[in-house]
Amino acid sequence: MSDIEIYSSDFCPFCARAKSLLKKKCVTYTEYNVDTDPSLRLEMIERTKGRTSVPQIFINKKLIGGSDELFALDVSGKLEPLL
Ligand SMILES: N[C@@H](CCC(=O)N[C@@H](CS)C(=O)NCC(=O)O)C(=O)O
């Protein structure tokens, strides 16, 4: 099973969209809410080398990017093999 991590925040439509796609794929993920713990936001920025928008998604420690990038992977058929 892949290790899926998502940095998210409250009231974030792009986060909801990304999580909904992952749920549709029936995969589980670890969610880090950057609103509840400011150190998680700093960790996200560090791990993404400067990205500040949420969501930021990692699969097996590799940065996938945000919601748009997750959906682009899905459309191109490259998401399923990663899951
Ligand atoms: N293209 C990005 C858009 C993400 C985005 O705009 N997220 C908003 C929250 S819903 C955000 O983090 N805005 C603050 C910022 O860009 O620093 C994606 O698909 O993930």
Side-chain angles (χ1 to χ4, degrees):
M1 189 186 286
S2 293
D3 171 27
I4 304 171
E5 301 165 281
I6 176 165
Y7 290 87
S8 68
S9 72
D10 300 324
F11 313 113
C12 162
F14 288 97
C15 302
R17 193 170 165 253
K19 288 189 287 181
S20 157
L21 178 60
L22 292 173
K23 281 179 196 147
K24 205 174 102 188
K25 303 284 180 191
C26 295
V27 294
T28 55
Y29 53 82
T30 305
E31 183 170 6
Y32 307 118
N33 187 314
V34 303
D35 289 335
T36 56
D37 182 351
S39 73
L40 288 172
R41 186 180 290 278
L42 293 176
E43 180 186 281
M44 178 189 84
I45 294 169
E46 192 174 315
R47 287 184 74 190
T48 60
K49 300 187 172 39
R51 291 182 178 215
T52 56
S53 66
V54 283
Q56 294 298 329
I57 301 146
F58 287 82
I59 299 181
N60 294 329
K61 310 296 179 199
K62 182 180 181 293
L63 176 63
I64 299 302
S67 173
D68 290 345
E69 285 144 313
L70 186 71
F71 274 78
L73 269 185
D74 189 35
V75 167
S76 66
K78 292 178 183 161
L79 180 59
E80 298 269 347
L82 296 177
L83 304 174

